[in-house]
Amino acid sequence: MVNLSGAISLIGGFPALAGVDLTVADGEIVVLRGPNGAGKSTLLRLCAGLAHLNGGTGTILGHDLSSREQRRRIRRETGLLAHQTFLYDELTVEDNLIFWARANRADPSTVEPILDRLDLGGRLRTVKISALSAGQRRRASVAVMVCRRPKLWLLDEPHAGLDQTGRDFIDDIVRHAVRFGATVIIASHDHERVSNLATRTVHLVGGMVTGAEDGREEGQNVS
């Protein structure tokens, strides 16, 4: 699913990734750990085809990161949950999901149960994104990902801004996605929670992978 060798990605001339070596196999839940500025978010954006590969080599889902055309394919086949929602603020929650479902050739009839599952049904379905709270926006972003059914889920602090119920929803959805064939990479500071999901933890410092821990014993409950 992910194969990076010496991957370098520059932001304003600064190497946010300074030679990352990383392989992620189909069906894994890999957690990225590291201090702020370690390169976790940039690594997720690189895997989503949004950040440029300025050095080294890399393939995502078999697509070459050095090719502009193949990066477009990566964007279609991956889902990134980032600090930016990628939602249309002037559309309602329901209209956003219907739009993304149709854009990805998914069945629009799946929208209603997804809204209910993420506690976005009822009156919230007709509320514009611009009027939602931060936690509700995060739920809506997750709902869009579920509609799209990407092969590779890339989650940047997915539990941020959510209450206990919302955090539990995220965990359940990640496990469900993996059961149905997805692979997941999570960047998170919520170490205790994500360690219960991870099949492997990868440590980043200064834009480089500095170590990894096998978490398969904890991660067995995802299947």
Side-chain angles (χ1 to χ4, degrees):
M1 302 296 283
V2 174
N3 191 353
L4 303 175
S5 179
I8 297 171
S9 185
L10 305 178
I11 296 179
F14 176 81
L17 299 179
V20 167
D21 297 319
L22 178 66
T23 300
V24 178
D26 188 13
E28 280 198 278
I29 301 176
V30 173
V31 169
L32 306 178
R33 288 185 60 176
N36 291 334
K40 302 184 300 295
S41 295
T42 302
L43 179 54
L44 292 180
R45 287 178 54 81
L46 182 68
C47 291
L50 295 173
H52 288 286
L53 181 69
N54 300 109
T57 61
T59 59
I60 307 295
L61 302 169
H63 305 308
D64 189 347
L65 279 169
S66 64
S67 164
R68 179 180 298 180
E69 176 59 34
Q70 293 196 40
R71 284 201 305 274
R72 292 195 189 99
R73 297 178 187 174
I74 291 169
R75 291 194 287 270
R76 288 195 295 267
E77 296 177 23
T78 60
L80 174 64
L81 181 68
H83 303 292
Q84 179 183 359
T85 65
F86 300 107
L87 300 173
Y88 293 99
D89 282 351
E90 294 309 306
L91 293 181
T92 67
V93 173
E94 184 175 30
D95 287 343
N96 264 277
L97 264 67
I98 290 172
F99 170 83
W100 285 108
R102 287 175 174 166
N104 289 271
R105 298 184 176 88
D107 185 354
S109 68
T110 62
V111 165
E112 185 171 354
I114 291 170
L115 288 171
D116 291 339
R117 180 70 180 88
L118 282 159
D119 201 22
L120 292 167
R123 69 171 186 84
L124 282 177
R125 68 192 304 156
T126 60
V127 174
K128 291 183 178 181
I129 296 296
S130 58
L132 297 179
S133 69
Q136 290 165 343
R137 284 171 178 251
R138 179 53 58 105
R139 287 175 184 262
S141 295
V142 174
V144 165
M145 288 190 64
V146 175
C147 277
R148 293 185 57 220
R149 301 184 184 277
K151 297 177 182 177
L152 179 62
W153 291 49
L154 304 163
L155 310 180
D156 197 350
E157 300 293 345
H159 302 99
L162 297 178
D163 58 17
Q164 181 65 43
T165 300
R167 292 193 292 271
D168 290 342
F169 274 147
I170 293 292
D171 295 350
D172 290 344
I173 287 167
V174 167
R175 293 185 178 105
H176 181 84
V178 171
R179 282 197 298 269
F180 283 85
T183 300
V184 182
I185 305 177
I186 305 173
S188 178
H189 289 293
D190 193 346
H191 302 152
E192 182 177 353
R193 177 170 287 271
V194 295
S195 67
N196 293 321
L197 294 171
T199 57
R200 185 158 50 102
T201 298
V202 172
H203 298 267
L204 275 78
V205 176
M208 299 183 68
V209 172
T210 59
E213 300 169 5
D214 187 7
R216 256 174 222 290
E217 291 184 3
E218 295 90 344
Q220 284 176 349
N221 60 357
V222 304
S223 59

